Amino acid sequence: MKKLVQGVGINDGKYPATIGGKRTKEYALWQNMLDRCYNKTYHTMHPTYLGCNVSDNFKQYSYFHEWCQLQIGFGIADFHLDKDLIYKGNKEYNENNCVFIPLEINSVLTKSNAARGLLPIGVTKNGNNFLARCNIGGTTKTIGTFTTPELAFNAYKTFKESHIKELAEKYKGTIDPRAYQALLNYEVDIND
């Protein structure tokens, strides 16, 4: 019997894990997905993945490999496997929830709970006021200064939802239609 990957993943050998000594894209994605869900060391550094899991189908490397071949965006440079755009807050990697999306979209959807503390997402304290700021393409854009965290959050929410819709239109022809629709419907919540 072959050794399990992260104690759950089964590489049945139907497809190569490496070619020319380098991991295949499919295998690297599969192994990284299993690490995110089942590697305790990874959880120490990335606690947002605690409680995530992989469906029985995706635990089988050959199934995951074949699934990848049929997906819009697979193999395009800087496209990433995403599990929670279609169903916000989803914790399971499976064929119904996962899509490939560009890094630009993935980055704008990433949250940093530890960095913001107790304030709403997109809000930082600035003296007696509150700043609404949003990270766009690796640059922090200040939206404005407000007297309450709620006002700052509302400005952030409006700005970010508008930006996400712009990204949906930018990538409309290159992303899965489900991802496009999820971006159009995306709502920023104060508890994000």
Side-chain angles (χ1 to χ4, degrees):
M1 182 173 171
K2 295 187 183 241
K3 181 179 169 189
L4 295 175
V5 177
Q6 285 302 330
V8 297
I10 301 165
N11 181 358
D12 56 13
K14 185 174 179 181
Y15 299 103
T18 61
I19 296 176
K22 185 178 177 192
R23 287 189 308 168
T24 64
K25 184 165 185 71
E26 296 87 348
Y27 190 82
L29 284 166
W30 184 69
Q31 187 175 35
N32 290 338
M33 174 182 65
L34 293 171
D35 282 346
R36 283 188 217 109
C37 294
Y38 303 107
N39 184 322
K40 292 182 189 334
T41 303
Y42 190 89
H43 292 160
T44 303
M45 298 175 69
H46 306 279
T48 56
Y49 285 96
L50 279 167
C52 289
N53 64 71
V54 175
S55 71
D56 288 341
N57 285 340
F58 269 22
K59 288 176 184 171
Q60 185 85 22
Y61 175 57
S62 60
Y63 182 92
F64 180 78
H65 183 283
E66 291 169 2
W67 175 85
C68 285
Q69 309 312 308
L70 302 173
Q71 301 312 300
I72 297 169
F74 172 72
I76 297 176
D78 288 329
F79 269 54
H80 295 245
L81 179 66
D82 181 86
K83 68 171 174 19
D84 53 7
L85 172 59
I86 303 298
Y87 301 105
K88 192 173 179 182
N90 175 58
K91 294 284 198 175
E92 182 176 77
Y93 286 89
N94 68 50
E95 62 272 29
N96 298 316
N97 300 337
C98 291
V99 290
F100 288 95
I101 58 174
L103 174 60
E104 184 176 17
I105 292 174
N106 202 24
S107 296
V108 83
L109 299 176
T110 302
K111 301 181 296 186
S112 182
N113 294 345
R116 80 167 181 261
L118 300 175
L119 292 171
I121 189 167
V123 178
T124 57
K125 186 91 167 110
N126 183 27
N128 292 328
N129 292 310
F130 299 88
L131 289 176
R133 302 187 324 178
C134 190
N135 189 332
I136 303 294
T139 302
T140 301
K141 174 167 177 42
T142 299
I143 300 160
T145 304
F146 302 88
T147 55
T148 69
E150 293 78 17
L151 289 172
F153 168 74
N154 287 332
Y156 168 82
K157 174 182 171 61
T158 300
F159 178 87
K160 186 162 183 175
E161 287 175 358
S162 174
H163 181 64
I164 289 170
K165 285 174 180 51
E166 288 171 11
L167 290 175
E169 294 306 325
K170 177 180 178 179
Y171 288 101
K172 182 177 183 178
T174 57
I175 59 175
D176 186 303
R178 297 173 303 150
Y180 171 75
Q181 196 59 51
L183 292 168
L184 290 181
N185 297 333
Y186 194 89
E187 290 187 26
V188 176
D189 186 87
I190 198 162
N191 296 314
D192 280 348

